[in-house]
Amino acid sequence: MKRLRAAVLISGRGSNMMALAEAARASDYPVTIACVISNRPDAEGLAYAARHGIAAKLIDHREFASREGFEAALDRYLRAEAIDLIACAGFMRVLTGNFVAGWEGRMINIHPSLLPAYKGLHTHERVLADGAPEHGCTVHQVTAELDAGPIILQARVPVMPDDTPETLAARVLTEEHRIYPQALAMLARDIQAKTST
Ligand code: GAR
């Protein structure tokens, strides 16, 4: 079966992108990481991609007068690269409903909480402030509503009494790196099954 071509969207460190790229080295993984796109020039993940022979593309949102202009440039690049799937991995730009509609069912995101709990930013701080007993991460389809699309996979971690946002984030991140490659493969196999009939 032909491997699907994925673009990974990042804004910073890119550790989830690295986990996806690492998984895609297996010959039976259904996805090739075709390119890594950052909206920020200082994203560390861009250098990693370039070093690993993955097309590393900067589309700096500050160079566009509007959100729509930025998204049009992003969409053009994705279509030119014949991308089948988009994986948002620490991509910190909100995408408009118009852009999302063009990639419906083919764009996923990883979020550091057990959605629908703790949508949005600063999830680890908010979990600790609430004294919640557990936390985790979610891979979900991207829809027009922020952090609200259908859930593909989740992983849970305990919250320890002496946790700081940093220790809790690290425990969650280990699980992110485990489930994101699984979820991307699940979506790809699903699409392959639908298109091969
Ligand atoms: C990850 O924890 C990811 O879940 C989170 O940003 C971090 C990116 O790390 N994403 C969001 O908060 C999205 N709203 P990474 O750049 O090392 O993958």
Side-chain angles (χ1 to χ4, degrees):
M1 184 91 61
K2 192 173 144 283
R3 296 174 109 198
L4 298 184
R5 290 170 59 76
V8 186
L9 269 46
I10 64 168
S11 297
R13 182 177 56 184
S15 71
N16 277 290
M17 174 273 293
M18 293 171 203
L20 296 176
E22 190 60 34
R25 290 171 58 174
S27 58
D28 61 348
Y29 196 74
V31 174
T32 298
I33 306 303
C35 60
V36 171
I37 305 171
S38 172
N39 66 308
R40 301 185 59 99
D42 54 353
E44 301 94 314
L46 275 179
Y48 172 94
R51 272 202 314 279
H52 287 76
I54 302 169
K57 175 76 175 170
L58 169 66
I59 304 178
D60 189 339
H61 65 274
R62 290 168 307 185
E63 289 174 6
F64 298 86
S66 66
R67 202 172 278 277
E68 288 72 18
F70 165 71
E71 291 182 354
L74 178 58
D75 199 69
R76 256 195 316 277
Y77 183 77
L78 293 165
R79 309 259 173 216
E81 288 289 312
I83 293 303
D84 301 302
L85 291 172
I86 303 174
C88 300
F91 181 67
M92 304 310 267
R93 294 292 294 170
V94 171
L95 295 163
T96 66
N98 189 37
F99 180 90
V100 171
W103 292 92
E104 199 186 328
R106 296 188 294 144
M107 175 160 45
I108 60 178
N109 178 48
I110 187 148
H111 181 77
S113 79
L114 292 170
L115 291 174
Y118 303 102
K119 295 175 180 174
L121 298 175
H122 309 300
T123 59
H124 312 302
E125 287 84 349
R126 286 155 57 209
V127 162
L128 288 175
D130 286 352
E134 66 172 5
H135 187 30
C137 51
T138 303
V139 181
H140 64 95
Q141 300 257 7
V142 176
T143 57
E145 194 186 335
L146 190 69
D147 299 333
I151 290 171
I152 300 171
L153 275 181
Q154 289 186 310
R156 293 168 188 278
V157 301
V159 178
M160 303 300 189
D162 57 351
D163 264 335
T164 63
E166 291 73 28
T167 59
L168 185 55
R171 194 173 308 118
V172 171
L173 194 64
T174 301
E175 293 303 301
E176 294 187 34
H177 297 164
R178 187 176 64 78
I179 68 166
Y180 208 3
Q182 290 178 11
L184 181 63
M186 283 167 63
L187 176 68
R189 294 203 170 98
D190 212 42
I191 291 173
Q192 284 174 334
K194 282 182 189 141
T195 50
S196 70
T197 50

mmCIF file of all heavy atoms in Angstrom, residues 79-109:
data_model
loop_
_atom_site.group_PDB
_atom_site.id
_atom_site.type_symbol
_atom_site.label_atom_id
_atom_site.label_comp_id
_atom_site.label_asym_id
_atom_site.label_seq_id
_atom_site.Cartn_x
_atom_site.Cartn_y
_atom_site.Cartn_z
ATOM 1 N N ARG A 79 -0.475 21.797 -0.839
ATOM 2 C CA ARG A 79 -0.992 21.209 -2.092
ATOM 3 C C ARG A 79 0.162 20.971 -3.064
ATOM 4 O O ARG A 79 0.203 19.946 -3.740
ATOM 5 C CB ARG A 79 -2.040 22.119 -2.740
ATOM 6 C CG ARG A 79 -3.152 22.564 -1.776
ATOM 7 C CD ARG A 79 -4.444 21.803 -1.912
ATOM 8 N NE ARG A 79 -5.364 22.193 -0.835
ATOM 9 C CZ ARG A 79 -6.215 21.374 -0.225
ATOM 10 N NH1 ARG A 79 -6.288 20.104 -0.566
ATOM 11 N NH2 ARG A 79 -7.009 21.795 0.733
ATOM 12 N N ALA A 80 1.129 21.893 -3.123
ATOM 13 C CA ALA A 80 2.275 21.722 -4.034
ATOM 14 C C ALA A 80 3.101 20.499 -3.639
ATOM 15 O O ALA A 80 3.691 19.838 -4.492
ATOM 16 C CB ALA A 80 3.141 22.980 -4.025
ATOM 17 N N GLU A 81 3.132 20.202 -2.333
ATOM 18 C CA GLU A 81 3.894 19.043 -1.845
ATOM 19 C C GLU A 81 3.070 17.756 -1.874
ATOM 20 O O GLU A 81 3.522 16.729 -1.366
ATOM 21 C CB GLU A 81 4.353 19.300 -0.400
ATOM 22 C CG GLU A 81 5.462 20.325 -0.287
ATOM 23 C CD GLU A 81 6.797 19.800 -0.822
ATOM 24 O OE1 GLU A 81 7.186 18.691 -0.453
ATOM 25 O OE2 GLU A 81 7.427 20.503 -1.627
ATOM 26 N N ALA A 82 1.875 17.821 -2.434
ATOM 27 C CA ALA A 82 0.974 16.658 -2.534
ATOM 28 C C ALA A 82 0.765 15.987 -1.180
ATOM 29 O O ALA A 82 0.876 14.765 -1.034
ATOM 30 C CB ALA A 82 1.517 15.656 -3.556
ATOM 31 N N ILE A 83 0.467 16.817 -0.186
ATOM 32 C CA ILE A 83 0.285 16.318 1.179
ATOM 33 C C ILE A 83 -1.103 15.673 1.335
ATOM 34 O O ILE A 83 -2.109 16.223 0.875
ATOM 35 C CB ILE A 83 0.459 17.496 2.182
ATOM 36 C CG1 ILE A 83 1.904 17.983 2.178
ATOM 37 C CG2 ILE A 83 -0.009 17.115 3.582
ATOM 38 C CD1 ILE A 83 2.956 16.951 2.499
ATOM 39 N N ASP A 84 -1.115 14.512 1.986
ATOM 40 C CA ASP A 84 -2.374 13.802 2.253
ATOM 41 C C ASP A 84 -2.909 14.113 3.649
ATOM 42 O O ASP A 84 -4.126 14.110 3.874
ATOM 43 C CB ASP A 84 -2.150 12.287 2.174
ATOM 44 C CG ASP A 84 -1.622 11.846 0.820
ATOM 45 O OD1 ASP A 84 -2.294 12.109 -0.188
ATOM 46 O OD2 ASP A 84 -0.524 11.241 0.777
ATOM 47 N N LEU A 85 -1.983 14.298 4.600
ATOM 48 C CA LEU A 85 -2.364 14.412 6.016
ATOM 49 C C LEU A 85 -1.576 15.525 6.690
ATOM 50 O O LEU A 85 -0.394 15.711 6.375
ATOM 51 C CB LEU A 85 -1.954 13.132 6.762
ATOM 52 C CG LEU A 85 -2.677 11.852 6.471
ATOM 53 C CD1 LEU A 85 -1.949 10.710 7.176
ATOM 54 C CD2 LEU A 85 -4.081 11.972 7.007
ATOM 55 N N ILE A 86 -2.199 16.203 7.636
ATOM 56 C CA ILE A 86 -1.494 17.231 8.421
ATOM 57 C C ILE A 86 -1.504 16.821 9.888
ATOM 58 O O ILE A 86 -2.563 16.493 10.439
ATOM 59 C CB ILE A 86 -2.176 18.610 8.299
ATOM 60 C CG1 ILE A 86 -2.263 19.048 6.833
ATOM 61 C CG2 ILE A 86 -1.444 19.648 9.128
ATOM 62 C CD1 ILE A 86 -3.055 20.337 6.639
ATOM 63 N N ALA A 87 -0.329 16.844 10.519
ATOM 64 C CA ALA A 87 -0.231 16.594 11.960
ATOM 65 C C ALA A 87 0.270 17.866 12.631
ATOM 66 O O ALA A 87 1.403 18.295 12.390
ATOM 67 C CB ALA A 87 0.726 15.438 12.225
ATOM 68 N N CYS A 88 -0.582 18.497 13.430
ATOM 69 C CA CYS A 88 -0.164 19.677 14.187
ATOM 70 C C CYS A 88 0.542 19.184 15.445
ATOM 71 O O CYS A 88 -0.003 18.356 16.191
ATOM 72 C CB CYS A 88 -1.374 20.528 14.578
ATOM 73 S SG CYS A 88 -2.309 21.138 13.162
ATOM 74 N N ALA A 89 1.750 19.682 15.676
ATOM 75 C CA ALA A 89 2.553 19.185 16.793
ATOM 76 C C ALA A 89 3.193 20.380 17.501
ATOM 77 O O ALA A 89 4.280 20.810 17.147
ATOM 78 C CB ALA A 89 3.622 18.219 16.269
ATOM 79 N N GLY A 90 2.435 20.939 18.452
ATOM 80 C CA GLY A 90 2.920 22.155 19.094
ATOM 81 C C GLY A 90 2.853 23.332 18.141
ATOM 82 O O GLY A 90 3.670 24.239 18.197
ATOM 83 N N PHE A 91 1.846 23.327 17.266
ATOM 84 C CA PHE A 91 1.630 24.428 16.315
ATOM 85 C C PHE A 91 0.684 25.410 17.001
ATOM 86 O O PHE A 91 -0.468 25.056 17.293
ATOM 87 C CB PHE A 91 1.028 23.886 15.022
ATOM 88 C CG PHE A 91 0.786 24.938 13.979
ATOM 89 C CD1 PHE A 91 1.846 25.603 13.382
ATOM 90 C CD2 PHE A 91 -0.507 25.246 13.572
ATOM 91 C CE1 PHE A 91 1.625 26.573 12.406
ATOM 92 C CE2 PHE A 91 -0.740 26.198 12.600
ATOM 93 C CZ PHE A 91 0.333 26.866 12.015
ATOM 94 N N MET A 92 1.172 26.606 17.304
ATOM 95 C CA MET A 92 0.446 27.480 18.205
ATOM 96 C C MET A 92 -0.331 28.598 17.488
ATOM 97 O O MET A 92 -0.531 29.672 18.036
ATOM 98 C CB MET A 92 1.401 28.067 19.266
ATOM 99 C CG MET A 92 2.154 27.006 20.050
ATOM 100 S SD MET A 92 1.113 25.680 20.737
ATOM 101 C CE MET A 92 0.794 26.339 22.365
ATOM 102 N N ARG A 93 -0.787 28.335 16.265
ATOM 103 C CA ARG A 93 -1.646 29.281 15.551
ATOM 104 C C ARG A 93 -3.033 28.680 15.451
ATOM 105 O O ARG A 93 -3.169 27.499 15.103
ATOM 106 C CB ARG A 93 -1.176 29.507 14.109
ATOM 107 C CG ARG A 93 0.142 30.181 13.955
ATOM 108 C CD ARG A 93 0.151 31.606 14.383
ATOM 109 N NE ARG A 93 -0.661 32.511 13.594
ATOM 110 C CZ ARG A 93 -0.909 33.764 13.959
ATOM 111 N NH1 ARG A 93 -0.453 34.227 15.106
ATOM 112 N NH2 ARG A 93 -1.622 34.552 13.191
ATOM 113 N N VAL A 94 -4.034 29.492 15.738
ATOM 114 C CA VAL A 94 -5.403 29.033 15.549
ATOM 115 C C VAL A 94 -5.708 29.087 14.052
ATOM 116 O O VAL A 94 -5.387 30.060 13.377
ATOM 117 C CB VAL A 94 -6.388 29.927 16.343
ATOM 118 C CG1 VAL A 94 -7.826 29.599 15.992
ATOM 119 C CG2 VAL A 94 -6.141 29.768 17.837
ATOM 120 N N LEU A 95 -6.282 28.010 13.526
ATOM 121 C CA LEU A 95 -6.606 27.943 12.091
ATOM 122 C C LEU A 95 -8.087 28.266 11.895
ATOM 123 O O LEU A 95 -8.933 27.841 12.684
ATOM 124 C CB LEU A 95 -6.279 26.550 11.554
ATOM 125 C CG LEU A 95 -4.777 26.203 11.589
ATOM 126 C CD1 LEU A 95 -4.559 24.705 11.446
ATOM 127 C CD2 LEU A 95 -4.014 26.977 10.516
ATOM 128 N N THR A 96 -8.398 28.991 10.821
ATOM 129 C CA THR A 96 -9.793 29.390 10.594
ATOM 130 C C THR A 96 -10.620 28.192 10.107
ATOM 131 O O THR A 96 -10.083 27.213 9.573
ATOM 132 C CB THR A 96 -9.907 30.488 9.524
ATOM 133 O OG1 THR A 96 -9.491 29.931 8.267
ATOM 134 C CG2 THR A 96 -9.074 31.700 9.863
ATOM 135 N N GLY A 97 -11.931 28.333 10.260
ATOM 136 C CA GLY A 97 -12.844 27.285 9.814
ATOM 137 C C GLY A 97 -12.694 27.009 8.327
ATOM 138 O O GLY A 97 -12.839 25.878 7.870
ATOM 139 N N ASN A 98 -12.378 28.031 7.583
ATOM 140 C CA ASN A 98 -12.218 27.889 6.136
ATOM 141 C C ASN A 98 -11.039 26.967 5.802
ATOM 142 O O ASN A 98 -11.156 26.042 4.994
ATOM 143 C CB ASN A 98 -12.000 29.291 5.535
ATOM 144 C CG ASN A 98 -12.052 29.269 4.039
ATOM 145 O OD1 ASN A 98 -12.854 28.527 3.463
ATOM 146 N ND2 ASN A 98 -11.189 30.035 3.405
ATOM 147 N N PHE A 99 -9.905 27.201 6.450
ATOM 148 C CA PHE A 99 -8.736 26.349 6.218
ATOM 149 C C PHE A 99 -9.034 24.921 6.673
ATOM 150 O O PHE A 99 -8.766 23.951 5.958
ATOM 151 C CB PHE A 99 -7.516 26.903 6.974
ATOM 152 C CG PHE A 99 -6.278 26.069 6.779
ATOM 153 C CD1 PHE A 99 -5.405 26.326 5.733
ATOM 154 C CD2 PHE A 99 -5.995 25.012 7.630
ATOM 155 C CE1 PHE A 99 -4.273 25.543 5.529
ATOM 156 C CE2 PHE A 99 -4.863 24.219 7.437
ATOM 157 C CZ PHE A 99 -4.005 24.491 6.385
ATOM 158 N N VAL A 100 -9.585 24.813 7.865
ATOM 159 C CA VAL A 100 -9.860 23.497 8.449
ATOM 160 C C VAL A 100 -10.800 22.698 7.542
ATOM 161 O O VAL A 100 -10.601 21.493 7.329
ATOM 162 C CB VAL A 100 -10.454 23.663 9.872
ATOM 163 C CG1 VAL A 100 -10.958 22.337 10.413
ATOM 164 C CG2 VAL A 100 -9.412 24.260 10.814
ATOM 165 N N ALA A 101 -11.799 23.367 6.964
ATOM 166 C CA ALA A 101 -12.773 22.673 6.104
ATOM 167 C C ALA A 101 -12.080 22.028 4.911
ATOM 168 O O ALA A 101 -12.473 20.948 4.460
ATOM 169 C CB ALA A 101 -13.850 23.650 5.642
ATOM 170 N N GLY A 102 -11.029 22.675 4.414
ATOM 171 C CA GLY A 102 -10.304 22.138 3.261
ATOM 172 C C GLY A 102 -9.525 20.875 3.572
ATOM 173 O O GLY A 102 -9.096 20.172 2.654
ATOM 174 N N TRP A 103 -9.314 20.580 4.874
ATOM 175 C CA TRP A 103 -8.531 19.411 5.268
ATOM 176 C C TRP A 103 -9.329 18.487 6.196
ATOM 177 O O TRP A 103 -8.750 17.671 6.914
ATOM 178 C CB TRP A 103 -7.224 19.875 5.946
ATOM 179 C CG TRP A 103 -6.325 20.534 4.959
ATOM 180 C CD1 TRP A 103 -6.260 21.866 4.665
ATOM 181 C CD2 TRP A 103 -5.387 19.886 4.087
ATOM 182 N NE1 TRP A 103 -5.332 22.082 3.666
ATOM 183 C CE2 TRP A 103 -4.784 20.891 3.300
ATOM 184 C CE3 TRP A 103 -5.002 18.556 3.903
ATOM 185 C CZ2 TRP A 103 -3.816 20.595 2.329
ATOM 186 C CZ3 TRP A 103 -4.041 18.271 2.954
ATOM 187 C CH2 TRP A 103 -3.455 19.280 2.177
ATOM 188 N N GLU A 104 -10.628 18.623 6.143
ATOM 189 C CA GLU A 104 -11.495 17.870 7.049
ATOM 190 C C GLU A 104 -11.206 16.365 6.998
ATOM 191 O O GLU A 104 -11.110 15.781 5.912
ATOM 192 C CB GLU A 104 -12.962 18.116 6.668
ATOM 193 C CG GLU A 104 -13.918 17.764 7.784
ATOM 194 C CD GLU A 104 -15.362 17.869 7.329
ATOM 195 O OE1 GLU A 104 -15.661 18.722 6.461
ATOM 196 O OE2 GLU A 104 -16.163 17.074 7.830
ATOM 197 N N GLY A 105 -11.038 15.766 8.154
ATOM 198 C CA GLY A 105 -10.780 14.326 8.231
ATOM 199 C C GLY A 105 -9.336 13.955 7.945
ATOM 200 O O GLY A 105 -8.970 12.785 8.017
ATOM 201 N N ARG A 106 -8.518 14.960 7.618
ATOM 202 C CA ARG A 106 -7.116 14.675 7.261
ATOM 203 C C ARG A 106 -6.136 15.513 8.066
ATOM 204 O O ARG A 106 -4.957 15.592 7.733
ATOM 205 C CB ARG A 106 -6.921 14.916 5.760
ATOM 206 C CG ARG A 106 -7.746 13.951 4.920
ATOM 207 C CD ARG A 106 -7.428 14.028 3.465
ATOM 208 N NE ARG A 106 -7.803 15.298 2.903
ATOM 209 C CZ ARG A 106 -7.105 15.927 1.961
ATOM 210 N NH1 ARG A 106 -5.981 15.408 1.518
ATOM 211 N NH2 ARG A 106 -7.517 17.074 1.476
ATOM 212 N N MET A 107 -6.642 16.140 9.134
ATOM 213 C CA MET A 107 -5.762 16.979 9.974
ATOM 214 C C MET A 107 -5.982 16.625 11.441
ATOM 215 O O MET A 107 -7.126 16.582 11.917
ATOM 216 C CB MET A 107 -6.053 18.461 9.735
ATOM 217 C CG MET A 107 -5.260 19.348 10.654
ATOM 218 S SD MET A 107 -5.088 21.076 10.102
ATOM 219 C CE MET A 107 -6.709 21.458 9.595
ATOM 220 N N ILE A 108 -4.877 16.333 12.147
ATOM 221 C CA ILE A 108 -4.980 15.977 13.560
ATOM 222 C C ILE A 108 -4.057 16.860 14.400
ATOM 223 O O ILE A 108 -3.155 17.520 13.880
ATOM 224 C CB ILE A 108 -4.685 14.473 13.804
ATOM 225 C CG1 ILE A 108 -3.268 14.091 13.357
ATOM 226 C CG2 ILE A 108 -5.722 13.611 13.100
ATOM 227 C CD1 ILE A 108 -2.922 12.612 13.639
ATOM 228 N N ASN A 109 -4.310 16.839 15.716
ATOM 229 C CA ASN A 109 -3.545 17.675 16.647
ATOM 230 C C ASN A 109 -3.303 16.890 17.921
ATOM 231 O O ASN A 109 -4.098 16.014 18.275
ATOM 232 C CB ASN A 109 -4.362 18.934 16.973
ATOM 233 C CG ASN A 109 -3.667 19.837 17.969
ATOM 234 O OD1 ASN A 109 -2.473 20.143 17.819
ATOM 235 N ND2 ASN A 109 -4.382 20.256 19.003
#
